[in-house]
Amino acid sequence: FETNTVSETMAALGQPNDNASEEKKDNESSDTCIATQNYDGKKKLKYIEKDTFLSNEHTKMYNELRLYVDNVLQKKIKWELSILPPKLLALVEANPSNMEQKEAAYNKQKNSKNAQSLPKEYATESMYQYLSKYATEATLIRSITGSDYRLEIAKGAILETVQWRVSSKVDEIKPDVFEKSIRTKVIYSMNQRDKKGHLICYFKVLETPPDDPWMIVRAAIWTIEKGVRMANQKGVYQIMWLLDIEHLKYATVPPLQILKEIAHLLQYYYPERLFRAYILYSPWVFRMVWKMISGLLTENTKSKIIVPGWYESAKYETFQENIDKNCLDKRFGGDLDLKYTYEWEIEQYNAEDGYK
């Protein structure tokens, strides 16, 4: 999503209702983050999409994270960059031979016993500028919640997220960049919303998986970015997921590396963006897969996952608390016969009122 102003950047990042105050701060020094610039010590902070206030312990953690970000911006703390997978940085399908070289170098560096002795890379000025605007009140609350209230993980996650967003230029993405991934129809949304205004997104295990499993990661990034933007329009933060895994079997299980990347992506780069995830039509092999991935998920994430039985997956009653029947696909007991295509996505992207 191309952005030009602070308001537009924050809209793409999914920070609802704060744009006006953030715009006023645009000309201020970037040695403090937006959360600090707007800080009011008397204000009680709320958990994301909840009416309950942060506990004293979590409020203290929020302030520690806020001051940590300020110390990074003031360069009192060195911002050493993480080692990120080349395919995660290359959102477009890259030259295969060039990518193989980068992957080989990445694996060598990642697995090196002498990693501490390798040259360090540090954040660029554009990363500092991005961090100062990215670290809003909502972002910091999402970060501590998404890390299961582990402060050191939240610190690393917020810096790594900014590094990734700046390095991959994720704010500038358009659907044509992800054409191959979108055409797989493995992950998509047709812009329906649940009863609270969250975008409803579908993940479908295909009978024949994509040749390049990284297409799943790219499709996830496109769909989540769109979901964040559309959540912002309704003053919410999170996304509703329906995962259709009927065709899950040993031959269609994504490689463990891809499962790890998706788990890392959701929890580090998009913390607390999940509202609910229904895992539907689960075959027996799901038990094995769940053992593989459950250890990668935080307790906060696992608490939002619902696994109905096979027959319940087809009944509207399973979803009626959260989704209206006229916003749900027939496969799950709804009224809609959804036919997603890349052409439809392009049309929606180009339409003035497409993503609403």
Side-chain angles (χ1 to χ4, degrees):
F1 303 100
E2 295 183 356
T3 55
N4 298 308
T5 69
V6 176
S7 288
E8 289 169 339
T9 299
M10 290 299 106
L13 295 174
Q15 311 300 338
N17 305 325
D18 295 330
N19 295 340
S21 60
E22 286 165 2
E23 195 72 70
K24 291 177 184 177
K25 303 292 184 181
D26 191 28
N27 295 322
E28 293 189 11
S29 170
S30 61
D31 63 355
T32 57
C33 63
I34 291 290
T36 292
Q37 292 172 28
N38 294 334
Y39 180 68
D40 178 358
K42 296 179 181 179
K43 177 185 175 182
K44 285 190 174 183
L45 305 175
K46 290 184 177 181
Y47 294 99
I48 296 299
E49 291 201 23
K50 293 181 180 178
D51 290 327
T52 50
F53 295 111
L54 264 62
S55 67
N56 290 338
E57 180 185 357
H58 295 161
T59 300
K60 180 183 176 184
M61 188 177 295
Y62 165 86
N63 283 314
E64 287 178 352
L65 180 58
R66 178 177 59 80
L67 295 175
Y68 169 79
V69 171
D70 285 347
N71 283 332
V72 170
L73 290 170
Q74 294 160 20
K75 301 184 180 176
K76 296 177 181 177
I77 298 173
K78 284 188 176 181
W79 183 352
E80 184 180 324
L81 298 181
S82 302
I83 303 171
L84 302 181
K87 286 189 176 181
L88 189 60
L89 293 171
L91 297 183
V92 294
E93 286 76 6
N95 179 286
S97 59
N98 186 36
M99 184 53 66
E100 283 180 11
Q101 294 174 359
K102 289 183 177 180
E103 282 285 301
Y106 163 74
N107 290 327
K108 183 178 179 181
Q109 187 177 9
K110 194 75 173 174
N111 300 321
S112 173
K113 294 180 180 178
N114 301 315
Q116 296 298 321
S117 63
L118 294 172
K120 307 296 183 185
E121 290 189 36
Y122 295 94
T124 63
E125 193 56 37
S126 59
M127 291 177 186
Y128 282 102
Q129 292 291 334
Y130 197 103
L131 177 63
S132 70
K133 297 178 177 67
Y134 178 77
T136 64
E137 176 185 297
T139 297
L140 298 186
I141 293 173
R142 287 195 299 105
S143 296
I144 62 171
T145 307
S147 66
D148 271 353
Y149 305 103
R150 292 171 291 178
L151 182 59
E152 293 307 310
I153 290 178
K155 288 177 181 178
I158 199 166
L159 297 187
E160 187 176 308
T161 299
V162 171
Q163 175 189 344
W164 172 69
R165 295 193 72 89
V166 173
S167 300
S168 65
K169 299 181 179 179
V170 73
D171 289 327
E172 301 174 18
I173 61 174
K174 300 179 181 179
D176 56 346
V177 171
F178 294 86
E179 179 177 356
K180 290 183 180 178
S181 299
I182 291 172
R183 285 191 183 278
T184 65
K185 304 179 186 179
V186 66
I187 299 176
Y188 63 91
S189 171
M190 293 196 74
N191 301 356
Q192 286 78 32
R193 296 178 183 271
D194 69 11
K195 292 181 178 181
K196 293 190 176 181
H198 306 114
L199 190 68
I200 301 172
C201 298
Y202 294 89
F203 171 90
K204 183 176 178 62
V205 174
L206 304 177
E207 290 187 74
T208 304
D211 293 334
D212 178 6
W214 277 91
M215 286 187 181
I216 300 173
V217 178
R218 296 186 191 107
I221 291 170
W222 167 256
T223 305
I224 295 170
E225 286 293 317
K226 183 174 83 166
V228 167
R229 180 181 179 183
M230 293 183 68
N232 177 63
Q233 294 168 357
K234 296 291 184 181
V236 295
Y237 292 87
Q238 300 175 327
I239 300 171
M240 169 71 77
W241 283 92
L242 274 63
L243 291 78
D244 183 348
I245 64 170
E246 177 185 2
H247 298 300
L248 186 69
K249 50 191 176 185
Y250 286 114
T252 60
V253 173
L256 183 58
Q257 181 191 9
I258 298 300
L259 296 175
K260 285 182 176 179
E261 289 300 338
I262 291 177
H264 188 78
L265 193 79
L266 292 173
Q267 295 178 138
Y268 273 63
Y269 300 171
Y270 300 101
E272 198 61 357
R273 291 293 187 188
L274 174 65
F275 177 65
R276 294 284 185 277
Y278 288 88
I279 299 180
L280 306 162
Y281 296 104
S282 55
W284 66 269
V285 73
F286 171 69
R287 295 179 185 177
M288 178 271 291
V289 176
W290 181 247
K291 286 182 180 179
M292 291 170 56
I293 64 173
S294 60
L296 306 173
L297 304 177
T298 62
E299 293 303 315
N300 178 60
T301 298
K302 285 189 280 191
S303 71
K304 299 179 179 184
I305 295 173
I306 302 167
V307 188
W310 185 279
Y311 295 106
E312 287 76 13
S313 297
K315 293 181 178 180
Y316 171 66
E317 289 73 19
T318 301
F319 313 94
Q320 66 180 351
E321 180 182 348
N322 294 307
I323 305 174
D324 287 322
K325 198 171 185 180
N326 61 359
C327 293
L328 185 65
D329 192 280
K330 284 182 178 179
R331 179 161 170 76
F332 311 109
D335 294 335
L336 298 178
D337 187 14
L338 298 179
K339 303 291 183 185
Y340 179 75
T341 65
Y342 169 72
E343 288 73 21
W344 177 89
E345 192 71 76
I346 288 289
E347 183 181 323
Q348 293 293 304
Y349 180 82
N350 291 328
E352 239 179 77
D353 60 348
Y355 291 145
K356 288 188 177 178

